[in-house]
Amino acid sequence: MSDQSNSDAERLEFNFNESLGYWIFATAHQLSLAMNEELQTQGITYRQWEVLAWIWYRGELSQSDLASCMGIEAPTLVGVLDRMERDGWIRRVPCQMDRRKKIIQVTERVEPVWAQMLACGLRVRERATRGLSKAEVLQLRDTLEKIRKNLMAESTAACDSESPTEQPAV
């Protein structure tokens, strides 16, 4: 057997068509792109919209709690919050209980355009679910919820590791 054949035989095979992770990540990426496209008319990104949605439905959150709810590291969130604060979408105020913490609040700029932002999410959802029955959409949501719960860490986040139920899912 030649060296080339031997290395080919030892190479691990990966079948993207059978990879649940691939399909979930690829779909999430497309949803994110579609949301960014829709939301650009509002002058906001999907990640920024996600910040607003969590705060809108949960109320004020600390930066670290917000990062936990969003499933990202707190340092990753800082740049997003810096831009949002600069653009007038949010404000950071010291926590009354712990001055080291910053509480994120939406500003008055959000309310007049929130319905338009939600409409962006609804348009993306419509595109994403085109050709699916209501039962198929509900089954998909339930299946993804089971997968998410199976993978959740044992520790609970400030947001109870749950998505805001009132937030329109894309």
Side-chain angles (χ1 to χ4, degrees):
M1 187 177 238
S2 73
D3 287 339
Q4 179 64 34
S5 298
N6 191 24
S7 65
D8 286 345
E10 292 173 356
R11 193 174 300 144
L12 294 177
E13 294 295 322
F14 184 79
N15 185 339
F16 283 99
N17 283 328
E18 293 178 14
S19 171
L20 182 61
Y22 167 76
W23 288 107
I24 290 172
F25 281 115
T27 303
H29 181 70
Q30 289 302 312
L31 283 168
S32 181
L33 290 174
M35 282 296 290
N36 278 326
E37 183 181 298
E38 281 285 337
L39 289 166
Q40 80 182 51
T41 61
Q42 303 302 317
I44 197 165
T45 67
Y46 174 62
R47 182 63 82 183
Q48 293 170 331
W49 179 85
E50 190 179 9
V51 165
L52 295 177
W54 277 106
I55 297 169
W56 190 266
Y57 289 110
R58 293 284 180 165
E60 300 171 354
L61 291 167
S62 71
Q63 284 184 207
S64 59
D65 290 344
L66 179 59
S68 290
C69 290
M70 293 173 65
I72 61 175
E73 297 294 324
T76 303
L77 183 58
V78 170
V80 174
L81 296 178
D82 286 345
R83 286 186 297 282
M84 293 181 77
E85 189 170 39
R86 178 199 68 204
D87 295 342
W89 294 110
I90 58 134
R91 65 180 145 264
R92 294 182 244 199
V93 298
C95 176
Q96 298 291 348
M97 307 298 276
D98 182 351
R99 293 280 186 196
R100 295 170 297 174
K101 285 186 174 186
K102 296 291 185 191
I103 302 298
I104 311 304
Q105 301 173 335
V106 297
T107 66
E108 54 283 341
R109 179 176 182 195
V110 176
E111 190 169 352
V113 294
W114 185 244
Q116 295 165 346
M117 290 182 190
L118 292 179
C120 291
L122 293 173
R123 284 191 296 274
V124 171
R125 184 190 327 183
E126 169 60 32
R127 284 176 47 201
T129 59
R130 196 171 297 139
L132 299 175
S133 70
K134 186 172 183 165
E136 288 173 315
V137 172
L138 292 174
Q139 180 63 51
L140 175 61
R141 185 196 64 200
D142 291 346
T143 301
L144 291 171
E145 176 66 5
K146 286 177 188 174
I147 292 169
R148 187 182 67 79
K149 284 184 175 181
N150 288 342
L151 297 172
M152 275 184 353
E154 302 230 350
S155 63
T156 58
C159 59
D160 298 322
S161 299
E162 297 290 332
S163 299
T165 53
E166 300 88 357
Q167 177 183 347
V170 177

